Amino acid sequence: MADYRLQGDTGEWEVVCGLEIHAQIISDSKLFSAAATEFGAEPNSQVSPVDAGMPGMLPRVNQFCVEQAVKTGLGLRAEINRWSAFERKNYFYADLPQGYQISQYLHPLVGEGTVYLDMPDGSVVPVGIERLHMEQDAGKSLHDQEPGKTYIDLNRSGVGLMEIVSKPDITSPEQAGAYVNKLRSILRYLGTCDGNMAEGSMRCDINVSVRKPGGDLGTRCELKNVNSVRFIMQAIEAEATRQIEILEDGGEIEQQTRLYDPDKRETRALRGKEHAHDYRYFPDPDILPLIVENDWVERIKASMPELPDEKKQRFIDEYGLSAYDAGVLVAEQAYADFFETLAKGRDPKLAANWFTGDFFGALNKAGVELDAAPVDSAKLGELLDLIADETISGRIAKDVFEEMWETGKPAGQIVEDKGLKQITDTSELEGIVDKIVADNPDQVAQVQDGNQKVKGWFVGQVMKATGGKANPKLVNEILAKKLG
């Protein structure tokens, strides 16, 4: 993959990024209390005294949340630390009732790992994982309920989070987008986070700096709470451009926390960037260190599903798919499951082409998810069977598919009702070909003079005369005999 560069007045600049992904843990209860975690509940209806920071309330670690974090660490090919500890991160905010956040700083649960990105040009880019630590989420401040007032909803307070911190290995907006998509795919396969950025269950902070090619790392700025892959990519380019303009004007980059405005395509300062000592971390005296036993980790590892990278390689080896097609199919587990059901007993390449082509196109056009599609794998499989046994041609199949999508009718019924079966009677096709050949002596002469492209014109005329129902293979065989 070609190196990404931004052009400034003084030459080219490199972009260096590290991402911090905050992923809400899928769990029925919160990290340190038994309160529910259902999204969209009435404000302040899922708050325990622990979540509300009431005096004397002691947190109790949710073992299932720890299991989910360990599973995620294993999915990231990361080291699982057998000893970790929770610490208090001290800062004030209205939706943080305790006045501190229980997090992990010096001793995270998960250490270094690697995520591999499959880029559009076929290259594979490794991105290092620095750490994964667990922490509790804050509540939510609602500024749009009443003019001049801010309301606090503590339903999210105490929900378990995994903060996944990458190394500064990301060097382009495209890589950042691929990284977030890959990480979301892994989390969804594992069932540890639903990755829904629109609902806030997966949020991204971006650390951006620029430098001259091969130079030392520059001063970074952090872009907070970017909530879509598209905005992440836009924000990186906007912030890098801002920093380049400052540096080329002779200024210095101030380390800041900033926000990205997608409407204006620019970033703006929120506050000076805090350092670790500003939070006065210290071990939480109410929570014992977390000790993870080897046998438990091995049991978790044994229960893990096949993950995207392994599934992609299997699709290449087992089904003979290209790396690109396999990558598209394993991006979502639902896609992979649909494909495997569709390909069972059928030509896998035909199945992949139809699923990633016409089917995906129909999904995008309709703006629906796979589970809401009017054509399921069984119905699409019936259509592929009609192509395979030459009941219909590939061109007619596209028309049949459109009607299947619009009406929900099975392929066989549409073909029967509309009389769309291929003409496979050789004598009938020969009669049609003879007439077209007799009516077009000039084109016949061109073919006999060696212009093979005109033979394709004859195929088109036969298909036109038969309404697309002629068997293309038979048509070509007959034309070869007639035209030489």
Side-chain angles (χ1 to χ4, degrees):
M1 180 179 177
D3 291 336
Y4 176 81
R5 298 281 192 272
L6 284 177
Q7 185 68 42
D9 293 337
T10 62
E12 292 185 334
W13 293 80
E14 288 180 340
V15 179
V16 181
C17 301
L19 270 57
E20 301 171 10
I21 302 293
H22 300 261
Q24 281 191 4
I25 299 171
I26 292 177
S27 171
D28 291 336
S29 54
K30 296 182 180 180
L31 183 55
F32 298 114
S33 80
T37 59
E38 182 182 354
F39 179 79
E42 285 294 314
N44 296 310
S45 63
Q46 298 178 161
V47 186
S48 79
V50 173
D51 310 323
M54 296 296 181
M57 296 296 104
L58 296 177
R60 180 177 179 180
V61 177
N62 181 337
Q63 180 173 330
F64 181 71
C65 287
V66 178
E67 180 179 334
Q68 293 282 69
V70 169
K71 186 181 292 186
T72 301
L74 293 171
L76 300 176
R77 299 180 175 89
E79 177 186 0
I80 307 300
N81 295 321
R82 292 337 193 231
W83 191 98
S84 62
F86 286 101
E87 289 141 311
R88 292 185 180 180
K89 180 180 180 180
N90 296 274
Y91 65 96
F92 173 78
Y93 209 72
D95 53 24
L96 189 71
Q98 293 162 309
Y100 59 85
Q101 179 188 37
I102 302 176
S103 182
Q104 294 184 309
Y105 174 54
L106 292 176
H107 305 287
L109 177 63
V110 177
E112 294 186 343
T114 308
V115 171
Y116 294 93
L117 311 182
D118 299 310
M119 304 307 296
D121 64 356
S123 63
V124 176
V125 177
V127 174
I129 299 297
E130 181 69 36
R131 57 191 276 142
L132 179 158
H133 63 262
M134 301 179 68
E135 62 188 21
Q136 60 180 171
D137 208 345
K140 189 173 184 180
S141 297
L142 306 175
H143 306 293
D144 57 356
Q145 304 298 300
E146 186 176 337
K149 292 186 178 181
T150 293
Y151 287 74
I152 303 297
D153 179 9
L154 294 180
N155 279 351
R156 199 173 66 183
S157 176
V159 169
L161 287 180
M162 299 177 288
E163 182 170 336
I164 303 167
V165 182
S166 84
K167 294 186 177 182
D169 293 341
I170 296 168
T171 58
S172 73
E174 187 179 38
Q175 285 184 14
Y179 172 77
V180 174
N181 281 327
K182 184 63 172 287
L183 194 58
R184 183 166 56 185
S185 178
I186 292 170
L187 295 174
R188 286 175 168 172
Y189 267 76
L190 292 169
T192 56
C193 173
D194 65 20
N196 191 325
M197 300 186 81
E199 293 182 357
S201 56
M202 184 169 163
R203 309 189 291 275
C204 181
D205 298 340
I206 315 163
N207 289 290
V208 182
S209 66
V210 297
R211 65 181 178 185
K212 284 294 186 178
D216 295 334
L217 290 175
T219 301
R220 71 182 188 272
C221 289
E222 183 181 33
L223 309 179
K224 293 291 290 185
N225 291 331
V226 187
N227 64 356
S228 82
V229 173
R230 180 164 58 94
F231 291 163
I232 288 168
M233 296 171 68
Q234 291 175 0
I236 290 171
E237 185 165 357
E239 175 59 19
T241 300
R242 183 191 73 88
Q243 293 184 21
I244 290 169
E245 290 174 354
I246 291 173
L247 292 171
E248 290 191 329
D249 285 342
E252 294 183 354
I253 303 301
E254 180 183 349
Q255 189 167 338
Q256 293 176 323
T257 298
R258 301 180 67 86
L259 296 176
Y260 175 64
D261 185 334
D263 295 325
K264 296 181 179 180
R265 295 284 188 98
E266 64 183 24
T267 68
R268 64 175 185 270
L270 179 64
R271 58 179 179 265
K273 175 62 180 169
E274 296 91 348
H275 299 275
H277 64 262
D278 294 321
Y279 292 113
R280 306 185 314 282
Y281 282 98
F282 65 88
D284 192 306
D286 294 331
I287 306 175
L288 292 172
L290 202 57
I291 299 173
V292 177
E293 297 180 348
N294 290 333
D295 289 347
W296 190 56
V297 173
E298 290 303 315
R299 286 198 298 273
I300 295 172
K301 185 183 295 185
S303 71
M304 289 172 59
E306 183 181 40
L307 293 177
D309 286 344
E310 290 71 31
K311 193 180 290 289
K312 176 187 174 182
Q313 190 59 51
R314 179 169 66 81
F315 279 15
I316 293 170
D317 296 339
E318 187 174 323
Y319 296 115
L321 301 182
S322 67
Y324 175 80
D325 284 346
V328 171
L329 291 169
V330 305
E332 296 284 352
Q333 188 162 16
Y335 294 168
D337 293 344
F338 188 106
F339 166 74
E340 293 217 79
T341 301
L342 182 64
K344 189 173 183 180
R346 300 185 178 96
D347 178 352
K349 293 184 180 179
L350 180 66
N353 288 341
W354 267 88
F355 185 41
T356 60
D358 294 74
F359 195 94
F360 271 22
L363 281 178
N364 292 334
K365 184 178 179 181
V368 297
E369 296 295 330
L370 185 62
D371 57 4
V375 177
D376 59 18
S377 57
K379 288 181 178 178
L380 185 57
E382 181 186 353
L383 179 65
L384 299 191
D385 292 340
L386 294 175
I387 299 171
D389 66 15
E390 298 188 343
T391 298
I392 58 175
S393 66
R395 194 187 76 77
I396 290 293
K398 292 181 179 294
D399 297 333
V400 173
F401 176 74
E402 286 185 11
E403 185 157 343
M404 290 169 64
W405 192 272
E406 291 171 4
T407 67
K409 291 180 181 179
Q413 181 183 337
I414 294 169
V415 170
E416 194 67 38
D417 291 347
K418 295 201 165 187
L420 299 175
K421 289 184 179 179
Q422 280 196 118
I423 300 172
T424 57
D425 186 310
T426 304
S427 60
E428 182 180 353
L429 289 175
E430 282 183 338
I432 295 169
V433 170
D434 286 342
K435 184 177 186 310
I436 292 172
V437 168
D439 290 345
N440 297 278
D442 291 344
Q443 284 78 5
V444 172
Q446 290 179 48
V447 173
Q448 292 173 344
D449 287 341
N451 189 342
Q452 294 300 307
K453 289 183 179 180
V454 180
K455 189 179 286 186
W457 178 85
F458 277 104
V459 174
Q461 293 303 302
V462 175
M463 299 306 289
K464 182 178 179 181
T466 59
K469 293 188 288 183
N471 182 293
K473 182 179 178 183
L474 284 178
V475 171
N476 279 294
E477 289 175 355
I478 294 168
L479 284 169
K481 291 177 184 177
K482 302 288 184 181
L483 301 175

